[in-house]
Amino acid sequence: MRAVVQRVSEASVEVDGSVTGSISKGLLIYLGVCRGDKKVDADYLVEKITGLRIYEDTRGKMNLSVQETGGSLLVVSQFTLCADVRKGKRPSYNMAAPPEEAHMLYEYFVEQSRIRVAYIQTGIFQASMQVRYTNEGPITIMVDSRKEF
């Protein structure tokens, strides 16, 4: 399971012209579920992402997590994070989990995140979405449950 995490001052996602999720200060999480991913992968990402110390403390040092700052999460499914681009110019999506499995693990990730973070919004799984955000920092971090980075 892979995630791209961005610290944002605001973010929203639209489907067919309607906002399906919107947050102020928090994390925008693009979540990709790959073949072979299990609940343990989601658990790892939830713990890692919600605990990332990427917010400044009173001394200006990045030492606080989204949990500690009372921030929000906007979780957007993105199967393209499982793309393989090593051969040719067209990405291969063979490593993306089948939609039924991916949807189940995506929902599980959101459920488990709600245990740690009070305010969570989402996009719509498998929908064509427009995401708008202001990246703060900028801070963008990639997290992989298989520790490939």
Side-chain angles (χ1 to χ4, degrees):
M1 192 172 280
R2 295 177 177 167
V4 172
V5 180
Q6 296 187 312
R7 188 178 79 175
V8 298
S9 55
E10 56 80 27
S12 64
V13 61
E14 274 184 28
V15 176
D16 296 327
S18 296
V19 174
T20 64
S22 178
I23 63 168
S24 54
K25 179 182 174 184
L27 300 177
L28 169 60
I29 303 168
Y30 293 109
L31 185 69
V33 180
C34 304
R35 282 192 188 278
D37 285 341
K38 307 278 186 241
K39 286 183 176 180
V40 67
D41 294 286
D43 291 337
Y44 172 83
L45 286 187
V46 167
E47 188 275 329
K48 182 63 74 174
I49 291 168
T50 60
L52 283 174
R53 295 172 16 177
I54 57 175
Y55 288 94
E56 289 83 10
D57 61 17
T58 56
R59 296 176 309 213
K61 182 176 182 178
M62 285 201 294
N63 203 25
L64 300 174
S65 70
V66 69
Q67 288 177 280
E68 295 167 311
T69 61
S72 305
L73 303 181
L74 176 58
V75 184
V76 177
S77 64
Q78 190 170 6
F79 77 96
T80 60
L81 289 176
C82 299
D84 183 349
V85 295
R86 293 176 291 180
K87 290 184 178 179
K89 303 289 185 201
R90 182 175 299 171
S92 168
Y93 300 108
N94 290 337
M95 291 307 297
E100 310 78 42
E101 290 175 34
H103 191 205
M104 185 273 301
L105 284 172
Y106 169 80
E107 292 296 334
Y108 179 79
F109 176 90
V110 171
E111 288 171 23
Q112 295 305 303
S113 295
R114 286 189 199 284
I115 295 168
R116 296 173 178 256
V117 176
Y119 189 74
I120 299 178
Q121 297 282 287
T122 65
I124 295 178
F125 190 84
Q126 281 190 298
S128 177
M129 296 175 270
Q130 291 73 46
V131 181
R132 292 178 178 79
Y133 60 93
T134 302
N135 189 322
E136 201 176 84
I139 294 178
T140 302
I141 297 173
M142 298 172 66
V143 184
D144 192 311
S145 64
R146 298 180 193 181
K147 302 174 184 86
E148 295 174 357
F149 293 104

